[in-house]
Amino acid sequence: MEKMLVGCFLLILGQILLLPTEARDRPPSRSVSRGRHSRTHPQTALLESSCENKRADVVFIIDSSRSVNTHDYAKVKEFIVDILQFLDIGPDVTRVGLLQYGSTVKNEFSLKTFKRKSEVERAVKRMRHLSTGTMTGLAIQYALNIAFSEAEGARPLRENVPRVIMIVTDGRPQDSVAEVAAKARDTGILIFAIGVGQVDFNTLKAIGSEPHEDHVFLVANFSQMESLTSVFQNKLCTVHMCSILEHNCAHFCINTPGSYVCRCKQGYILSSDQKTCRIQDLCAVEDHGCEQLCVNVLGSFVCQCYSGYTLAEDGRRCVAVDYCASENHGCEHECVNADSSYFCRCPKGFALNPDKKTCTKIDHCASRNHGCQHECVNTDDSYSCRCLKGFMLNPDKRSCRRINYCALNKPGCEHECVNTEEGHYCRCRRGYTLDPNGRTCSRVDHCAEQDHGCEQLCLNTGESFVCQCSEGFLINEDLKTCSKLDSCALGDHGCEHSCVSSEDSFVCQCFEGYILREDGKTCRREDVCQAVDHGCEHICVNSDDSYICKCLEGFRLAEDGKRCRRKDVCKSTHHGCEHICVNRGSSYICKCSEGFILAEDGRRCKRCTEGPIDLVFVIDGSKSLGEENFEIVKQFVTGIIDSLAISPKAARVGLLQYSTQVRTEFTLRNFGSAKDMNKAVAHMKYMGKGSMTGLALKHMFERSFTQVEGARPLSARVPRVAIVFTDGRAQDDVSEWASKAKANGITMYAVGVGKAIEEELQEIASEPTDKHLFYAEDFSTMGEINEKLKKGICEALEDSDGSQDSPAGELPKRVHQPTESEPVTINIQDLLSCSNFAVQHKYLFEDNLSRSTQKLFHSTKSSGSPLEEKPDQCKCENLMMFQNLANEEVRKLTQRLEEMTQRMEALENRLRYR
């Protein structure tokens, strides 16, 4: 009873000391002069005695961000030194640690570092300003996990030693503080929060202990901090109530200023009476993360698995039985367990063979794209280029350049220096020989060195000699002896072909097939058109010593000057174009008006939204989006789908959702109608985790646009479009797979909302980005983006339609029989294989070949007389008849195949939603 009365008296005394709030506003007087080993203070005697023999573990947390200038930083250190004056510092009394933080946390000294007050003061004065960010939450987390650990000098909770944090900050934290501060307070740590200047008071209250009026302080500037010294003397030096009162705490008693609180051992929580403890059901109150079963143990929990599974190394997930260990898998390198079986995997630099068990080393050099100029050398996971002897590799690591020994060694060659594979040598110019010194050169006298045999004159040349004759003589065929010149050789006779000498003159003659012109010297062909393969399609006309090609009436000469084409094909044939016919060479193409695209038959026109397109949505399903906004995104998707003509022949649509993983909601081949597709969108479940945009783009590029998942082949020239939707920064790189997709012909639209990063959207979107990138600050303007996207897709379809114009050679595919007065040209490729072709497809000719015959005109002479040919299967009209019949058969087969495809897709959809 006497112990309780003493405790009550001390409790009342402690509260009386805490009541005067004027101490916060009235700064204590300080002496201007300071001794070397002590600081003079009016209350020094009181301070030194008031905390004598008080046990406590105190950690200072100091804001060292760039917003704290050098003068203010010095004021903070002075404030800490003032606080140290009234603390009884020692291993068995008060232990002190200090952290300062900016963008990171720096542990200046821990609770176990110093044993004397003077050592602590020196350490405080030696601190250096960090001048970085303001990660307050990170600093509190460090104190909770490390600074107050027994390894760093904190005393065990069972000893009831008070744990105190004094945190000084001048700005808004750049991270979250409320949750980590609450955890620290729940472990029994008493937190005093001191704010300086423009600090958010609500943030200070989220940090400090309750009641806030005793633990949260705000001053106008750093100079006013010293006014809090006496306040903290009263706070820190109160009596330890746990040691003088019957606290009745079941596990631990934690001292607080003027009072105490009870705390429980790990694995227990405090009961409603705030004294007794009960076992905590951690499986029920925590996100245990167990994949299958959670089982409580004292102070913790363990995960367990169902029969047939074993616990993974992380203690949370469950993995199936190790099939690789229990079966003879036969894998050459590595066996990997799957859900209900296993598969074989090869190490880096190897590829799995078709038997799915053995591996073959990848020959990277076998690819034609390695670009090595000389040699390609395989490495483990790639290749490197190597140069031949005498060459060295250029900075591009692919091409080679010869080593210039001449430039490196400067040998002093008189004429030329020649590089070899391993060195160099000197070489002389033509007509010179190398001297014995290997560098200088001397002229060669070939006429003096050998028996030249010239009858009259010997003349040195660069590498040898030539014989020449005196004036009036001509060198003979042996190039050594000379003969007197004839008339043709005496002067410039001017004969184009040949000169024939006479006794005192000469005459000119022409080669066979040529005749002499009136000038008696030049020659021309007798009939050029007959003598050469002129290649004129219609008519060849002689012109002096050459020829020109001409066309029959109704035709004009093509650019090559040989072939002929109709003057206006669109006017001269039944083109069948629904909107516009455009002449192209000797044929024509059909085009459509704005807002329309060409149909599959190349003649009819349809609205752009009815055109063929392979479209894949890549939707962000991360947790930052939220389920309510995810429903808006689903409405956005259905709005695009409703604007398209969904069918296997027109628009095909697929959809991916991603967060930390990628999930294919449906592929391009799954649905053949907008109704079924919208139903699948409506049933789509929100993933709500991370944001791996790059992984989703990789999945889209490697799988979504394959024929296996319903994409039409590139040869079909159907536009491939991807719409990527995101609302925040990706957790991986997006540029690599976005670039690959765009380089492979996929048009990329990027739609960003809210916190989406503009740089990432630009990396995703196709050029120009002003037509392929859309951003909204919130989801209220999604409707505007929807309309812009529809317009952009329509324009893409119109552009692709323009790139698919029929070539000029399409004209003969029309059922057009030439009249007897019209000349006809058959491509040589059609005739080369005609006979075999007609025999193999005789059934198409039997009923039609004898119906009509027709004359074929092809003039290769100026007369242009018609040549009548006997009827045969290789005639133009029979070829065209066969082509029309064959096209009709192909059309029927294609129609039957499309009907079967639609029935198969309908059956798949019914099975999918059953």
Side-chain angles (χ1 to χ4, degrees):
M1 185 65 182
E2 181 180 341
K3 186 177 182 180
M4 290 182 65
L5 290 174
V6 172
C8 290
F9 172 75
L10 291 174
L11 178 62
I12 293 169
L13 179 61
Q15 293 298 323
I16 292 171
L17 291 172
L18 290 175
L19 281 176
T21 58
E22 295 81 357
R24 301 182 189 179
D25 301 320
R26 187 174 61 252
S29 58
R30 294 183 57 180
S31 175
V32 176
S33 60
R34 296 182 177 94
R36 181 173 181 181
H37 300 290
S38 64
R39 294 170 58 87
T40 306
H41 196 282
Q43 299 177 353
T44 300
L46 174 62
L47 295 177
E48 289 179 349
S49 61
S50 58
C51 282
E52 187 177 356
N53 296 325
K54 299 299 181 184
R55 301 178 72 210
D57 290 341
V58 181
V59 173
F60 293 93
I61 301 178
I62 304 305
D63 183 349
S64 188
S65 62
R66 65 175 62 92
S67 61
V68 179
N69 60 42
T70 304
H71 176 75
D72 292 340
Y73 187 72
K75 288 291 184 181
V76 173
K77 293 197 288 185
E78 290 178 7
F79 172 73
I80 296 172
V81 171
D82 286 344
I83 297 295
L84 296 176
Q85 300 311 307
F86 59 74
L87 297 179
D88 191 2
I89 296 175
D92 297 326
V93 280
T94 299
R95 300 180 185 180
V96 178
L98 189 145
L99 314 173
Q100 64 170 332
Y101 69 92
S103 298
T104 59
V105 179
K106 182 180 180 183
N107 183 19
E108 293 292 342
F109 52 87
S110 63
L111 293 169
K112 66 178 181 180
T113 303
F114 298 120
K115 297 179 174 58
R116 291 187 295 273
K117 184 183 298 185
S118 59
E119 295 174 339
V120 177
E121 289 182 3
R122 281 195 297 270
V124 171
K125 294 175 182 178
R126 286 196 301 265
M127 287 195 310
R128 292 292 181 266
H129 194 194
L130 299 180
S131 293
T132 53
T134 313
M135 301 296 286
T136 310
L138 183 65
I140 299 173
Q141 186 72 56
Y142 184 95
L144 174 62
N145 295 343
I146 299 175
F148 280 109
S149 65
E150 293 184 28
E152 290 297 309
R155 282 163 281 200
L157 289 173
R158 63 178 177 272
E159 294 185 14
N160 295 328
V161 176
R163 295 183 173 185
V164 180
I165 287 177
M166 292 186 67
I167 182 165
V168 180
T169 180
D170 83 321
R172 187 181 299 274
Q174 295 175 337
D175 56 355
S176 177
V177 297
E179 184 177 350
V180 67
K183 287 183 179 179
R185 294 193 300 269
D186 288 343
T187 62
I189 298 174
L190 190 68
I191 302 178
F192 292 96
I194 305 168
V196 181
Q198 303 297 321
V199 180
D200 180 29
F201 195 68
N202 289 327
T203 302
L204 293 177
K205 291 196 291 185
I207 297 173
S209 296
E210 293 183 350
H212 292 144
E213 58 268 20
D214 293 331
H215 302 90
V216 177
F217 304 90
L218 180 62
V219 293
N221 52 58
F222 285 91
S223 297
Q224 293 184 9
M225 287 180 58
E226 62 186 17
S227 65
L228 301 176
T229 305
S230 60
V231 175
F232 284 111
Q233 174 202 355
N234 294 332
K235 303 293 183 186
L236 297 175
C237 298
T238 54
V239 179
H240 295 176
M241 294 302 176
C242 290
S243 61
I244 63 172
L245 297 179
E246 293 183 4
H247 50 74
N248 295 322
C249 295
H251 287 178
F252 301 119
C253 176
I254 305 298
N255 286 291
T256 63
S259 186
Y260 67 90
V261 291
C262 295
R263 291 286 183 266
C264 298
K265 297 177 182 177
Q266 187 176 2
Y268 293 81
I269 59 174
L270 205 61
S271 300
S272 57
D273 61 3
Q274 299 298 309
K275 294 184 180 294
T276 59
C277 300
R278 54 187 173 85
I279 294 177
Q280 186 177 16
D281 185 2
L282 296 176
C283 287
V285 300
E286 290 192 9
D287 183 14
H288 51 76
C290 296
E291 185 177 359
Q292 294 183 358
L293 300 172
C294 175
V295 178
N296 281 296
V297 297
L298 185 61
S300 184
F301 62 87
V302 294
C303 297
Q304 292 183 358
C305 299
Y306 299 130
S307 177
Y309 290 81
T310 58
L311 201 62
E313 293 181 358
D314 61 3
R316 298 283 193 276
R317 295 180 297 105
C318 294
V319 295
V321 177
D322 187 0
Y323 293 95
C324 288
S326 61
E327 293 187 13
N328 182 17
H329 51 77
C331 296
E332 180 181 1
H333 284 170
E334 184 180 357
C335 175
V336 181
N337 283 294
D339 289 340
S340 58
S341 182
Y342 66 90
F343 63 89
C344 298
R345 186 163 61 191
C346 299
K348 194 174 186 180
F350 288 80
L352 200 63
N353 290 326
D355 62 3
K356 302 299 183 183
K357 293 182 180 293
T358 59
C359 300
T360 301
K361 188 168 183 64
I362 299 173
D363 186 3
H364 300 282
C365 290
S367 169
R368 296 181 180 178
N369 299 323
H370 56 73
C372 296
Q373 183 179 357
H374 286 181
E375 296 178 358
C376 177
V377 180
N378 282 297
T379 60
D380 287 341
D381 58 347
S382 184
Y383 66 89
S384 62
C385 296
R386 186 169 62 192
C387 297
L388 298 176
K389 193 172 185 180
F391 291 80
M392 61 189 297
L393 207 60
N394 285 322
D396 63 4
K397 302 300 181 182
R398 283 174 167 75
S399 59
C400 301
R401 68 177 185 272
R402 185 176 291 279
I403 300 173
N404 191 349
Y405 295 102
C406 289
L408 292 173
N409 300 327
K410 298 181 179 178
C413 299
E414 182 180 2
H415 283 184
E416 298 175 0
C417 177
V418 180
N419 285 297
T420 63
E421 288 186 0
E422 299 181 354
H424 67 278
Y425 66 90
C426 293
R427 183 172 65 188
C428 297
R429 291 192 291 271
R430 181 181 296 178
Y432 291 82
T433 182
L434 195 66
D435 293 334
N437 61 17
R439 294 190 302 276
T440 59
C441 300
S442 300
R443 184 177 289 279
V444 178
D445 188 357
H446 301 288
C447 291
E449 287 181 353
Q450 51 190 307
D451 184 14
H452 52 76
C454 296
E455 182 181 358
Q456 293 185 0
L457 302 173
C458 176
L459 180 66
N460 281 299
T461 63
E463 297 178 348
S464 183
F465 65 91
V466 293
C467 295
Q468 289 188 349
C469 298
S470 303
E471 187 177 355
F473 289 85
L474 181 68
I475 195 79
N476 292 327
E477 291 183 358
D478 62 0
L479 298 179
K480 291 182 181 292
T481 60
C482 302
S483 300
K484 192 172 180 64
L485 288 172
D486 59 7
S487 301
C488 287
L490 287 174
D492 183 16
H493 53 75
C495 297
E496 183 179 4
H497 283 188
S498 62
C499 174
V500 180
S501 294
S502 60
E503 287 186 4
D504 58 349
S505 185
F506 64 89
V507 293
C508 295
Q509 290 184 354
C510 296
F511 300 147
E512 184 179 357
Y514 290 80
I515 59 174
L516 202 62
R517 298 181 193 270
E518 290 75 12
D519 62 1
K521 295 191 176 190
T522 58
C523 303
R524 64 178 177 85
R525 288 185 183 273
E526 293 181 85
D527 189 343
V528 182
C529 286
Q530 188 176 7
V532 300
D533 182 15
H534 53 76
C536 296
E537 185 177 8
H538 285 182
I539 303 169
C540 176
V541 178
N542 286 300
S543 175
D544 197 9
D545 60 344
S546 183
Y547 66 90
I548 58 173
C549 296
K550 290 188 176 182
C551 298
L552 298 175
E553 186 177 357
F555 291 79
R556 59 187 175 90
L557 207 59
E559 288 77 9
D560 61 2
K562 295 180 182 291
R563 293 182 296 107
C564 297
R565 62 185 183 186
R566 295 182 186 275
K567 292 182 178 178
D568 190 340
V569 183
C570 287
K571 291 182 179 179
S572 61
T573 186
H574 180 65
H575 52 76
C577 298
E578 183 179 359
H579 283 188
I580 304 168
C581 174
V582 179
N583 286 298
R584 176 174 285 182
S586 59
S587 183
Y588 66 90
I589 58 171
C590 296
K591 288 195 173 183
C592 298
S593 303
E594 185 177 358
F596 292 81
I597 62 172
L598 211 58
E600 291 75 10
D601 62 2
R603 285 166 172 76
R604 292 181 299 103
C605 295
K606 57 186 178 183
R607 294 196 176 274
C608 63
T609 54
E610 298 173 14
I613 183 174
D614 288 345
L615 171 63
V616 174
F617 288 94
V618 182
I619 301 302
D620 186 351
S622 62
K623 62 183 178 181
S624 62
L625 188 68
E627 291 189 359
E628 182 177 352
N629 290 331
F630 187 71
E631 292 300 317
I632 297 176
V633 174
K634 287 162 68 174
Q635 295 172 13
F636 168 83
V637 172
T638 56
I640 299 293
I641 292 172
D642 289 338
S643 69
L644 301 173
I646 305 297
S647 74
K649 294 180 67 176
R652 299 183 184 179
V653 179
L655 192 148
L656 305 177
Q657 185 188 171
Y658 70 94
S659 58
T660 52
Q661 295 179 338
V662 183
R663 184 170 71 205
T664 300
E665 301 294 346
F666 51 85
T667 67
L668 292 169
R669 72 164 55 251
N670 283 145
F671 301 107
S673 69
K675 180 180 178 182
D676 293 337
M677 201 171 291
N678 287 334
K679 185 177 179 182
V681 173
H683 286 84
M684 188 168 60
K685 300 299 183 184
Y686 174 48
M687 297 177 76
K689 292 185 180 179
S691 184
M692 302 293 286
T693 311
L695 181 65
L697 294 178
K698 180 178 186 292
H699 184 100
M700 176 271 292
F701 173 72
E702 293 183 340
R703 296 180 58 180
S704 298
F705 284 106
T706 60
Q707 294 186 52
V708 175
E709 294 203 0
R712 281 161 281 202
L714 291 173
S715 59
R717 301 179 74 178
V718 173
R720 294 183 171 183
V721 177
I723 298 176
V724 183
F725 178 91
T726 180
D727 80 320
R729 183 185 293 276
Q731 294 173 338
D732 56 356
D733 180 61
V734 301
S735 59
E736 178 185 358
W737 294 104
S739 298
K740 287 184 177 180
K742 289 182 283 190
N744 282 268
I746 301 173
T747 301
M748 303 289 292
Y749 287 90
V751 180
V753 178
K755 297 181 180 179
I757 306 303
E758 184 178 358
E759 290 81 3
E760 289 184 354
L761 297 176
Q762 290 177 344
E763 289 177 341
I764 295 170
S766 294
E767 294 290 340
T769 54
D770 60 336
K771 289 188 177 181
H772 298 87
L773 189 154
F774 304 95
Y775 173 78
E777 292 185 354
D778 53 52
F779 288 84
S780 63
T781 57
M782 291 291 289
E784 297 177 10
I785 294 179
N786 194 307
E787 292 303 318
K788 291 178 181 179
L789 265 176
K790 291 176 186 177
K791 182 178 179 182
I793 294 171
C794 195
E795 291 175 354
L797 285 168
E798 290 179 18
D799 292 342
S800 68
D801 176 54
S803 67
Q804 299 179 49
D805 292 338
S806 302
E810 291 290 325
L811 182 59
K813 295 183 180 179
R814 301 263 328 144
V815 183
H816 174 65
Q817 300 292 343
T819 64
E820 292 188 358
S821 63
E822 293 178 333
V824 178
T825 301
I826 301 177
N827 290 332
I828 189 66
Q829 293 91 334
D830 297 332
L831 293 176
L832 287 175
S833 58
C834 172
S835 56
N836 293 332
F837 194 80
V839 170
Q840 294 175 10
H841 301 279
K842 182 180 179 182
Y843 69 97
L844 291 171
F845 284 93
E846 287 176 345
D847 296 334
N848 301 287
L849 186 59
S850 61
R851 293 181 183 177
S852 63
T853 61
Q854 195 168 7
K855 293 182 179 180
L856 191 64
F857 289 81
H858 189 99
S859 177
T860 59
K861 296 186 178 181
S862 59
S863 61
S865 59
L867 300 174
E868 184 176 356
E869 294 182 356
K870 295 180 180 180
D872 91 40
Q873 295 169 344
C874 289
K875 290 190 68 177
C876 177
E877 61 267 28
N878 292 331
L879 284 172
M880 295 178 69
M881 184 183 301
F882 163 75
Q883 186 177 20
N884 294 331
L885 294 170
N887 287 342
E888 181 62 22
E889 292 295 323
V890 171
R891 187 189 65 78
K892 292 178 180 178
L893 289 172
T894 302
Q895 184 176 359
R896 292 177 60 190
L897 181 61
E898 289 177 353
E899 292 173 355
M900 292 178 65
T901 301
Q902 290 176 357
R903 289 198 294 271
M904 289 293 293
E905 290 178 347
L907 179 60
E908 288 177 357
N909 291 335
R910 287 199 296 271
L911 291 174
R912 180 185 177 96
Y913 291 104
R914 177 167 293 178

